Amino acid sequence: MAAGILLVDKPGGITSHDVVARARRALGTRKIGHAGTLDPMATGLLVLGVDGATRLLTFIVGLDKTYETTIRLGVATDSDDADGEITRTTDAAHLTEAQIAEAIAPLTGRIAQVPSRVSAIKVGGRRAYDLARAGEEVELAAREVTVSRFDVLAVRPGSGAAPAGGFVDLDVVVDCSSGTYIRALARDLGDALEVGGHLTALRRTRIGPFSVAGAASVDALADASALSPAAVAAAVLGRIDVTADEARDLRHGKRLAGAASRLPAERCAAIDPDGRLVGIVEKRGADVKSAMNMPEEAAG
């Protein structure tokens, strides 16, 4: 496979690093990176960079994301998801859709969110989940995230896991900024309703302009087709088409005098006449300057 961006549909039960390891074996290269992991229980879109295209991952990792998830109200766990131990059960059968909607409203828009205690955030040089599993107290600071969509698609009453009535499952779709913890949304919704809550299923369906539809399965990585660096960079950042002479100048570190007005944004992809990615360029006053050149062998 030539250098490019590979979209993979991760199954549940394995880690994102397992997927990277399988991709390295299937594609015969060690140089594979990712644009954000998924927990073992989660499924859905992983974006992998292959060979020289790993340089583009920095522009993908911060993109907005979409998740489809199931939140169980009435049962809290120590990890805020189904992989954890149950810490509390509460009858949630009395909840109405209006009550649920009212509790969701404060969890949308720009919010301050405390990440799950079993997140990968480092505390004193150690991962929060390592500290939690070692039985140490973990206190994480709230961070600002944006939840632009938190829609309930279905409300499904259950029974048996909570006393005298049971739990309620919500099938939900969430659009959010990078860094948002969906487990924390489930926890906070359950707390707001005073019944506890956790995730029982999580699937990432979108990262920026990239969808899980058509992504390769882990069993078909050797035959998968990667997206070209040029197509990916243009989709993420927008593009400026440059002449062969301009492409040469950019690769040699020269500025394009007076070309800033041609850029659709402060930073975008420069594409040569052959449709290859010259690099990522940015405005410098009235000029355009290369911010990151793409190796010739990884520019297609």
Side-chain angles (χ1 to χ4, degrees):
M1 177 183 291
I5 296 296
L6 183 61
L7 307 182
V8 181
D9 189 349
K10 174 193 164 308
I14 64 174
T15 69
S16 298
H17 296 294
D18 291 334
V19 176
V20 171
R22 293 191 189 189
R24 286 171 175 164
R25 291 193 298 269
L27 304 179
T29 178
R30 293 290 303 169
K31 196 171 183 181
I32 293 182
H34 61 77
T37 62
L38 286 169
D39 292 334
M41 71 161 277
T43 69
L45 184 60
L46 283 180
V47 175
L48 304 184
V50 181
D51 290 329
T54 55
R55 306 183 74 185
L56 296 177
L57 295 176
T58 187
F59 303 106
I60 298 174
V61 68
L63 298 177
D64 289 356
K65 299 169 176 65
T66 297
Y67 294 90
E68 294 176 356
T69 183
T70 299
I71 298 173
R72 178 158 294 176
L73 298 174
V75 184
T77 72
D78 60 3
S79 64
D80 304 325
D81 64 23
D83 286 341
E85 297 293 327
I86 293 175
T87 58
R88 176 165 62 106
T89 59
T90 306
D91 180 12
H94 64 282
L95 293 175
T96 66
E97 293 189 22
Q99 288 175 311
I100 293 169
E102 184 178 2
I104 284 175
L107 297 176
T108 58
R110 190 74 176 167
I111 63 172
Q113 182 187 69
V114 177
S116 171
R117 62 193 293 270
V118 293
S119 67
I121 294 172
K122 286 190 175 182
V123 180
R126 296 176 63 189
R127 300 289 185 186
Y129 55 68
D130 287 332
L131 294 172
R133 289 165 185 164
E136 299 184 35
E137 192 66 28
V138 179
E139 291 189 12
L140 298 175
R143 54 178 59 190
E144 285 197 342
V145 299
T146 299
V147 178
S148 53
R149 180 185 182 193
F150 191 159
D151 289 348
V152 177
L153 305 180
V155 179
R156 297 183 285 109
S159 62
F167 58 84
V168 174
D169 281 347
L170 307 179
D171 294 329
V172 170
V173 60
V174 175
D175 292 339
C176 58
S177 62
S178 180
T180 303
Y181 284 87
I182 309 302
R183 285 177 298 174
L185 288 179
R187 176 202 66 206
D188 293 345
L189 179 60
D191 288 346
L193 292 165
E194 300 183 343
V195 297
H198 73 283
L199 293 185
T200 62
L202 181 65
R203 180 167 176 78
R204 185 160 66 197
T205 59
R206 180 188 64 86
I207 300 176
F210 309 113
S211 170
V212 73
S217 72
V218 294
D219 295 325
L221 291 174
D223 299 319
S225 298
L227 302 174
S228 74
V232 169
V236 171
L237 298 170
R239 65 185 283 165
I240 175 177
D241 292 292
V242 297
T243 66
D245 288 342
E246 289 175 328
R248 183 187 62 248
D249 287 346
L250 288 170
R251 290 189 175 107
H252 290 165
K254 296 181 180 179
R255 297 190 181 200
L256 303 185
S261 61
R262 293 163 53 192
L263 267 62
E266 287 298 312
R267 176 177 287 180
C268 70
I271 311 295
D272 73 12
D274 295 324
R276 293 165 59 81
L277 177 63
V278 178
I280 309 303
V281 297
E282 60 187 10
K283 295 179 180 179
R284 287 296 178 89
D287 300 340
V288 169
K289 180 182 181 296
S290 177
M292 185 199 79
N293 279 339
M294 203 67 180
E296 290 273 1
E297 67 276 9

